[in-house]
């Protein structure tokens, strides 16, 4: 979605919510795909045994990939927290929280204040 130059905060909030949900879905889909690939690799290694050094290297690389995806997800949660803080200053928090189509609340929790903006951190 694109925000044009003549937008109001409510319209921008709606676009941000939609884009955020799409980004979260993409991250979760990547995590699922990585998990499915690991299961397939485990099944293949069981059916066609490999040396332990090979499977250890393979499984370690899968672990590193999953950890990278989880770090991306954590960074997204932090971004959502910042967007919540901004929304509160713009009066559009109802678009982002408390509505069925708003931001997922499980990602954020209140932390304090900074420069007049509520700071929200990843849960």
């Amino acid at each position: 979605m694109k925000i044009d130059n003549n937008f109001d905060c409510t319209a921008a909030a709606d676009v941000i919510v939609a884009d955020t949900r799409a980004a979260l879905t993409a991250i979760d889909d990547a995590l699922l795909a990585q998990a499915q690939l690991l299961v397939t690799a485990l099944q293949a290694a069981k059916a066609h045994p490999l040396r332990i050094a090979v499977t250890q290297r393979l499984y370690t690389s899968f672990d590193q990939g999953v950890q990278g995806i989880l770090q991306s997800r954590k960074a997204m949660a932090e971004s959502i927290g910042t967007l919540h803080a901004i929304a509160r200053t713009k009066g559009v928090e109802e678009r982002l929280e408390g509505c069925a189509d708003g931001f997922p609340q499980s990602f954020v929790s209140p932390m304090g204040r900074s420069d007049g903006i509520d700071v929200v951190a990843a849960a």
Side-chain angles (χ1 to χ4, degrees):
M1 294 187 150
K2 184 179 178 196
I3 300 173
D4 64 34
N5 291 337
N6 298 321
F7 69 93
D8 63 24
C9 286
T10 300
D14 291 343
V15 172
I16 289 169
V17 167
D19 288 351
T20 299
R21 288 204 177 275
L24 284 172
T25 297
I27 290 171
D28 287 348
D29 286 349
L31 185 59
L32 178 60
Q34 185 79 353
Q36 289 171 329
L37 184 55
L38 172 59
V39 168
T40 301
L42 288 165
Q43 291 171 333
K46 185 175 182 180
H48 304 283
L50 300 168
R51 293 178 173 253
I52 190 169
V54 172
T55 55
Q56 185 64 33
R57 191 169 53 248
L58 177 63
Y59 303 156
T60 298
S61 68
F62 278 113
D63 178 60
Q64 291 169 345
V66 166
Q67 291 303 315
I69 294 169
L70 291 175
Q71 286 299 317
S72 294
R73 200 170 194 279
K74 180 180 178 184
M76 176 60 73
E78 292 168 0
S79 296
I80 290 170
T82 301
L83 289 168
H84 270 280
I86 293 167
R88 279 192 293 278
T89 68
K90 300 295 183 184
V92 292
E93 63 273 5
E94 72 281 354
R95 286 288 207 235
L96 308 183
E97 52 193 9
C99 294
D101 295 328
F103 280 153
Q105 284 298 298
S106 61
F107 286 100
V108 294
S109 61
M111 290 269 306
R113 297 187 66 79
S114 174
D115 297 324
I117 296 177
D118 288 335
V119 177
V120 183

